[in-house]
Coordinates of all heavy atoms in Angstrom, one line a residue:
R1 N 0.8 -1.2 0.0 CA 0.0 0.0 0.0 C 0.9 1.2 0.0 O 0.6 2.3 0.6 CB -0.9 0.0 1.2 CG -0.2 -0.1 2.5 CD -0.9 -0.9 3.6 NE -0.2 -0.8 4.9 CZ 0.9 -1.6 5.2 NH1 1.3 -2.5 4.3 NH2 1.5 -1.4 6.3
I2 N 2.0 1.1 -0.7 CA 3.1 2.1 -0.6 C 2.6 3.5 -1.1 O 3.1 4.5 -0.6 CB 4.3 1.7 -1.4 CG1 5.5 2.5 -1.0 CG2 4.1 1.6 -2.9 CD1 6.9 1.9 -1.3
D3 N 1.7 3.5 -2.1 CA 1.2 4.8 -2.6 C -0.1 5.2 -2.1 O -0.8 6.0 -2.8 CB 1.2 4.7 -4.1 CG 2.6 4.7 -4.7 OD1 3.5 5.3 -4.2 OD2 2.8 3.9 -5.7
E4 N -0.5 4.7 -0.9 CA -1.8 5.0 -0.4 C -1.7 5.4 1.1 O -0.8 5.0 1.8 CB -2.8 3.8 -0.4 CG -3.0 3.2 -1.8 CD -3.6 1.8 -1.7 OE1 -4.7 1.7 -1.0 OE2 -3.1 0.9 -2.3
I5 N -2.7 6.2 1.6 CA -2.8 6.5 3.0 C -4.3 6.3 3.4 O -5.2 6.8 2.6 CB -2.4 7.9 3.4 CG1 -0.9 8.1 3.1 CG2 -2.6 8.2 4.8 CD1 -0.4 9.5 3.2
L6 N -4.6 5.6 4.5 CA -5.9 5.4 4.9 C -6.3 6.5 5.9 O -5.6 6.8 6.8 CB -6.1 4.1 5.6 CG -7.5 3.8 6.2 CD1 -8.6 3.8 5.0 CD2 -7.6 2.6 7.0
F7 N -7.4 7.2 5.6 CA -8.0 8.2 6.5 C -9.3 7.8 7.1 O -10.2 7.3 6.4 CB -8.2 9.5 5.7 CG -6.9 10.2 5.2 CD1 -6.5 9.9 3.9 CD2 -6.2 11.0 6.0 CE1 -5.3 10.5 3.5 CE2 -5.0 11.6 5.6 CZ -4.6 11.3 4.3
I8 N -9.4 7.9 8.5 CA -10.6 7.5 9.2 C -11.0 8.7 10.0 O -10.2 9.2 10.8 CB -10.3 6.3 10.1 CG1 -9.9 5.0 9.3 CG2 -11.6 6.0 10.9 CD1 -9.5 3.8 10.1
D9 N -12.3 9.1 9.9 CA -12.8 10.2 10.7 C -13.7 9.6 11.7 O -14.9 9.2 11.5 CB -13.6 11.2 9.8 CG -13.8 12.5 10.5 OD1 -13.7 12.5 11.7 OD2 -14.2 13.5 9.8
A10 N -13.2 9.6 13.0 CA -14.0 9.0 14.1 C -14.5 10.1 15.0 O -14.8 9.8 16.2 CB -13.1 8.0 14.9
R11 N -14.6 11.3 14.5 CA -15.0 12.5 15.4 C -16.4 12.3 16.0 O -16.6 12.8 17.1 CB -15.0 13.8 14.6 CG -13.6 14.3 14.4 CD -13.7 15.6 13.6 NE -14.2 15.3 12.2 CZ -14.5 16.3 11.4 NH1 -14.3 17.6 11.7 NH2 -15.0 16.0 10.2
N12 N -17.3 11.6 15.4 CA -18.6 11.4 15.9 C -18.8 10.1 16.7 O -20.0 9.8 17.0 CB -19.6 11.5 14.7 CG -19.6 12.9 14.1 OD1 -19.5 13.9 14.8 ND2 -19.6 12.9 12.8
M13 N -17.8 9.4 16.9 CA -17.9 8.1 17.6 C -17.6 8.3 19.1 O -17.2 9.4 19.6 CB -16.9 7.1 17.0 CG -17.2 6.8 15.6 SD -16.1 5.6 14.8 CE -16.8 4.1 15.4
G14 N -17.9 7.3 19.9 CA -17.7 7.4 21.4 C -18.9 7.8 22.1 O -19.9 8.3 21.4
H15 N -18.9 7.8 23.4 CA -20.0 8.2 24.2 C -19.5 8.9 25.5 O -18.4 8.6 26.0 CB -20.9 7.0 24.6 CG -20.2 6.0 25.4 ND1 -19.4 5.0 24.7 CD2 -20.1 5.7 26.7 CE1 -18.9 4.2 25.7 NE2 -19.3 4.6 26.8
L16 N -20.3 9.8 26.0 CA -19.9 10.5 27.2 C -20.1 9.7 28.5 O -21.2 9.1 28.6 CB -20.7 11.8 27.4 CG -20.4 13.0 26.4 CD1 -21.4 14.1 26.5 CD2 -19.0 13.5 26.6
I17 N -19.1 9.6 29.3 CA -19.2 8.9 30.6 C -19.5 9.8 31.7 O -19.9 9.5 32.8 CB -18.0 8.0 30.9 CG1 -16.7 8.8 30.9 CG2 -17.9 6.9 29.9 CD1 -15.5 8.1 31.4
N18 N -19.2 11.1 31.5 CA -19.6 12.2 32.4 C -19.6 13.5 31.5 O -19.4 13.4 30.3 CB -18.8 12.3 33.7 CG -17.3 12.6 33.3 OD1 -17.0 13.4 32.4 ND2 -16.4 11.9 34.0
R19 N -19.9 14.6 32.2 CA -20.1 15.8 31.4 C -18.9 16.2 30.6 O -19.0 16.8 29.5 CB -20.4 17.0 32.4 CG -20.9 18.3 31.7 CD -21.4 19.2 32.8 NE -20.5 19.4 33.9 CZ -19.5 20.2 33.9 NH1 -19.2 20.9 32.9 NH2 -18.7 20.3 35.0
R20 N -17.7 15.9 31.0 CA -16.5 16.3 30.3 C -15.6 15.2 29.8 O -14.5 15.5 29.2 CB -15.6 17.2 31.3 CG -15.0 16.4 32.5 CD -14.1 17.3 33.3 NE -13.4 16.5 34.3 CZ -13.8 16.2 35.5 NH1 -15.0 16.5 35.9 NH2 -13.0 15.5 36.3
T21 N -16.0 14.0 29.8 CA -15.2 12.9 29.4 C -15.9 11.9 28.5 O -17.0 11.4 28.8 CB -14.6 12.1 30.6 OG1 -14.1 13.0 31.6 CG2 -13.5 11.2 30.2
R22 N -15.3 11.6 27.4 CA -15.8 10.7 26.4 C -14.9 9.5 26.3 O -13.7 9.6 26.6 CB -15.9 11.4 25.0 CG -16.5 10.6 23.9 CD -16.5 11.4 22.6 NE -17.4 12.5 22.6 CZ -18.7 12.4 22.3 NH1 -19.2 11.2 21.9 NH2 -19.5 13.4 22.4
E23 N -15.5 8.3 25.9 CA -14.7 7.1 25.7 C -15.3 6.3 24.5 O -16.5 6.4 24.2 CB -14.5 6.3 26.9 CG -15.8 5.6 27.4 CD -15.6 4.7 28.6 OE1 -14.5 4.8 29.2 OE2 -16.4 3.8 28.8
F24 N -14.4 5.5 23.9 CA -14.9 4.6 22.9 C -15.5 3.3 23.5 O -14.9 2.8 24.5 CB -13.7 4.2 22.0 CG -13.2 5.3 21.0 CD1 -11.9 5.6 21.0 CD2 -14.1 5.9 20.2 CE1 -11.4 6.6 20.2 CE2 -13.7 6.9 19.3 CZ -12.3 7.2 19.3
S25 N -16.5 2.8 22.9 CA -17.0 1.5 23.3 C -16.2 0.4 22.6 O -15.4 0.7 21.7 CB -18.5 1.3 22.9 OG -18.6 1.3 21.5
A26 N -16.4 -0.9 23.0 CA -15.7 -2.0 22.4 C -16.1 -2.1 20.9 O -15.3 -2.4 20.0 CB -16.1 -3.3 23.1
E27 N -17.4 -1.7 20.6 CA -17.9 -1.8 19.2 C -17.2 -0.7 18.4 O -16.8 -0.9 17.2 CB -19.4 -1.6 19.2 CG -20.2 -2.7 19.8 CD -20.2 -2.8 21.3 OE1 -19.9 -1.7 21.9 OE2 -20.4 -3.9 21.8
D28 N -17.0 0.5 19.0 CA -16.3 1.6 18.3 C -14.9 1.1 17.9 O -14.4 1.3 16.8 CB -16.2 2.8 19.1 CG -17.5 3.5 19.4 OD1 -18.4 3.4 18.5 OD2 -17.7 4.1 20.5
I29 N -14.2 0.6 18.9 CA -12.8 0.1 18.7 C -12.7 -0.9 17.6 O -11.9 -0.9 16.7 CB -12.2 -0.4 20.0 CG1 -12.0 0.8 21.0 CG2 -10.9 -1.1 19.8 CD1 -11.8 0.3 22.4
A30 N -13.7 -1.9 17.7 CA -13.7 -3.0 16.7 C -13.9 -2.4 15.3 O -13.3 -2.9 14.3 CB -14.8 -4.0 17.0
E31 N -14.8 -1.4 15.1 CA -15.1 -0.8 13.8 C -13.9 -0.1 13.2 O -13.6 -0.3 12.1 CB -16.3 0.1 13.9 CG -16.7 0.6 12.6 CD -18.0 1.5 12.6 OE1 -18.6 1.7 13.7 OE2 -18.4 2.1 11.6
I32 N -13.3 0.7 14.1 CA -12.1 1.5 13.6 C -10.9 0.6 13.2 O -10.4 0.7 12.2 CB -11.7 2.6 14.6 CG1 -12.8 3.6 14.9 CG2 -10.4 3.3 14.1 CD1 -12.6 4.4 16.1
A33 N -10.6 -0.3 14.2 CA -9.5 -1.2 14.0 C -9.8 -2.2 12.8 O -8.9 -2.5 12.0 CB -9.2 -2.0 15.2
G34 N -11.0 -2.7 12.7 CA -11.4 -3.5 11.6 C -11.3 -2.9 10.3 O -10.8 -3.5 9.3
T35 N -11.6 -1.6 10.2 CA -11.5 -0.8 8.9 C -10.0 -0.8 8.5 O -9.7 -1.0 7.3 CB -12.0 0.6 9.1 OG1 -13.4 0.5 9.5 CG2 -11.9 1.4 7.8
Y36 N -9.1 -0.5 9.4 CA -7.7 -0.5 9.2 C -7.1 -1.8 8.7 O -6.4 -2.0 7.7 CB -6.9 0.0 10.4 CG -5.4 0.1 10.3 CD1 -4.9 0.7 9.1 CD2 -4.6 -0.3 11.3 CE1 -3.5 0.9 9.0 CE2 -3.2 -0.2 11.2 CZ -2.7 0.4 10.0 OH -1.3 0.5 9.9
H37 N -7.5 -2.9 9.4 CA -7.1 -4.2 9.1 C -7.6 -4.7 7.7 O -6.8 -5.3 6.9 CB -7.5 -5.2 10.2 CG -6.9 -4.9 11.5 ND1 -7.4 -5.4 12.7 CD2 -5.8 -4.2 11.9 CE1 -6.6 -4.9 13.7 NE2 -5.7 -4.2 13.2
N38 N -8.8 -4.4 7.4 CA -9.4 -4.8 6.1 C -8.7 -4.0 5.0 O -8.5 -4.6 3.9 CB -10.9 -4.5 6.1 CG -11.7 -5.6 6.7 OD1 -11.4 -6.8 6.5 ND2 -12.8 -5.2 7.4

């Protein structure tokens, strides 16, 4: 893949665990990592 770069926009992923902190769910992680691996 020498002449390619993969771009992933995950800005709208994750969920708030309190008013000021967000985290990814296991499903979010699987989707992003799976996209890269595929």
Side-chain angles (χ1 to χ4, degrees):
R1 59 216 183 276
I2 196 162
D3 290 323
E4 303 167 51
I5 298 174
L6 177 64
F7 294 94
I8 299 175
D9 194 343
R11 282 178 298 174
N12 297 319
M13 299 180 77
H15 59 278
L16 288 171
I17 56 172
N18 60 41
R19 188 171 50 83
R20 68 176 190 274
T21 311
R22 181 179 293 272
E23 71 177 15
F24 287 126
S25 66
E27 292 74 23
D28 293 331
I29 292 167
E31 184 177 356
I32 298 167
T35 300
Y36 180 45
H37 297 159
N38 277 321

